[in-house]
Amino acid sequence: MRNVPSVVPWALASAVVLALSATPGARQPAVARSAIVFIGDGVDDHQLTIARNYLLGAGGGFSFEYFPYRAGARVLTVLESDPSIPEYVGDSASGGTAIAAGVVTSRGRIATRAGNGQAVPTMLELAAAAGKWTGIVTTSSVTDATPASFVAHINRRFCQGPDDMGPTPTDPRCPEALKANGGLGSIAEQIAVSDVDLLLGGGYRHFDQLDESRVSVVRRARDAGYRLVRDVAGLDAIEGAPGKLIGLFGDDTLPVEWVGEADARARPVEFESDGSVIDPQPFRCVDNPAFGSRPTLEAMTEFALERLGAAPDGFVLMVESASIDKQAHQGRPCGQIGETRALDQAVRVAASFQEQHPDTLILVSSDHGHAAQIIPWPSLFASRAEPQYPPGKVARVRTLEGGVMTVSYGTNENYLEEHTGTQVPVFARGPGGESVRGLMRQSDLFGVVLRALGL
Ligand SMILES: [Zn+2]
């Protein structure tokens, strides 16, 4: 396993895209044996366009954008205090729950209903009950909201490990989920005794904690039959060995692939003392020196498909590129672009797998929209008597095709950028994918997967 070269040459990318865009057509089986669900966290059309412009040029397209089936998905969320009233901006917990369990819930909830907290079964649980193998691959902690929504049931996404259960000054957290109170424990504790065959990602620190009986979650997982590896060498050594496996390649979210040159990110627009604007310096994206030796999303997906591909009755795998969202929160376009590239590379691995196994459904979608927008620079109103410039923060990125793209973040002035309430795209290929069309609900994707698998 290795890191991959930083730059996808446009011509090569286009050639691969053309190969991937071929519709399976007549040889497409009616029922899927397996399903692979990709989630680009925080990906909407604007975030996709930013990454596409940088990597592939304004006329390019990611591999999944050439899939034969495509839809827009409404991101529906409701108020916890009154689930009959919509909330117009979701999060990874409500979006993850919609996709994983087909239920519209309130922000922060993990596979539980708004208002009453009732647990709802996830597609991984239903697939496991039907004899399929299941897996989760993510660049975040495996206890983070998106992966958690596929495997755990809890009222608050932040209750990731035993140490996170108690109240904070601003949040009551999860007293009802303590085992002493009849609950299932934290997300890590639930993963440790779950049916999921394979989990790869970050988050070791949530497992390196003692539960209410003073037993570590790592120990609980081993007692439940999991092998635990913490680096690529460990993963390579285990290849082919049977049994349940958790790979945790960092303490929390894994380092991202790319950063801006000299750690450049979006900044507030600055002016000279005479009031004239200072053009933000354009920058390129470079490899993140802190990436280290952790496996890429592509490598983890490849490992997962080799392992789950041996399942006698098929599998369901969820793969998340998590830090598109986390980097957008920080106003870091290069982080977003690098993690979108990682998503595309992982999807290509799945598409190659599907070439060999046409009875595989591939879905690519997102949990919610995000903050970044492409804007004109200078502002169209820069030459007015009182020149106007965008509020918030701005980054100017020099794209691989030689242009300069200006990206604006304007959802929060002094803290992290915020999610936005736009619909998100869905791309599909393989049996069952044909029901991905028009305007859907995000929660419909659950039914698309289950129907494709005949469950
Ligand atoms: Zn977020």
Side-chain angles (χ1 to χ4, degrees), residues 139-217:
T139 52
S140 68
S141 168
V142 297
T143 56
D144 203 17
T146 307
S149 299
F150 285 78
V151 58
H153 307 274
I154 200 161
N155 294 342
R156 302 289 291 152
R157 60 179 290 181
F158 299 114
C159 301
Q160 296 189 56
D163 293 351
D164 308 315
M165 301 291 276
T168 70
T170 55
D171 188 343
R173 293 288 171 99
C174 307
E176 69 290 333
L178 289 170
K179 288 178 179 167
N181 296 335
L184 299 169
S186 65
I187 293 166
E189 292 166 77
Q190 295 186 42
I191 288 172
V193 295
S194 74
D195 286 332
V196 180
D197 297 285
L198 173 68
L199 295 109
L200 302 177
Y204 181 75
R205 75 181 180 89
H206 301 291
F207 291 80
D208 189 25
Q209 295 177 5
L210 301 178
D211 68 12
E212 294 163 63
S213 308
R214 313 298 296 166
V215 177
S216 82
V217 184

Side-chain angles (χ1 to χ4, degrees), residues 285-329:
C285 302
V286 296
D287 285 333
N288 178 11
F291 183 81
S293 58
R294 71 131 172 122
T296 60
L297 188 65
E298 178 187 37
M300 291 193 287
T301 304
E302 208 164 353
F303 181 92
L305 290 176
E306 265 172 36
R307 201 169 173 85
L308 298 178
D313 294 315
F315 63 87
V316 177
L317 170 66
M318 192 285 292
V319 179
E320 181 199 26
S321 184
S323 289
I324 302 168
D325 164 85
K326 295 177 195 304
Q327 296 289 294
H329 279 301

Side-chain angles (χ1 to χ4, degrees), residues 325 329 368 370 419:
D325 164 85
H329 279 301
H368 55 76
H370 226 298
H419 302 165

Side-chain angles (χ1 to χ4, degrees), residues 331-414:
R332 293 179 178 274
C334 286
Q336 286 190 247
I337 291 164
E339 298 309 293
T340 309
R341 170 177 164 275
L343 173 68
D344 188 51
Q345 290 170 333
V347 173
R348 286 164 191 265
V349 169
S352 300
F353 177 89
Q354 194 206 40
E355 293 289 321
Q356 305 303 315
H357 306 87
D359 51 358
T360 306
L361 169 66
I362 303 176
L363 283 186
V364 182
S365 192
S366 166
D367 45 1
H368 55 76
H370 226 298
Q373 304 182 77
I374 305 163
I375 61 163
W377 188 274
S379 162
L380 300 181
F381 309 108
S383 58
R384 290 173 69 94
E386 285 181 31
Q388 300 295 307
Y389 280 93
K393 304 179 193 84
V394 167
R396 298 179 72 220
V397 184
R398 197 176 292 287
T399 64
L400 295 183
E401 65 180 351
V404 176
M405 170 173 60
T406 303
V407 180
S408 158
Y409 296 82
T411 56
N412 197 304
E413 198 163 3
N414 296 315

Side-chain angles (χ1 to χ4, degrees), residues 92-165:
S92 292
S94 56
T97 296
I99 298 169
V103 166
V104 175
T105 192
S106 59
R107 284 199 303 240
R109 281 199 169 278
I110 302 295
T112 50
R113 286 187 192 278
N116 63 18
Q118 185 193 346
V120 284
T122 74
M123 64 170 73
L124 292 200
E125 291 167 336
L126 295 169
K132 294 188 185 296
W133 292 5
T134 58
I136 286 173
V137 170
T138 180
T139 52
S140 68
S141 168
V142 297
T143 56
D144 203 17
T146 307
S149 299
F150 285 78
V151 58
H153 307 274
I154 200 161
N155 294 342
R156 302 289 291 152
R157 60 179 290 181
F158 299 114
C159 301
Q160 296 189 56
D163 293 351
D164 308 315
M165 301 291 276

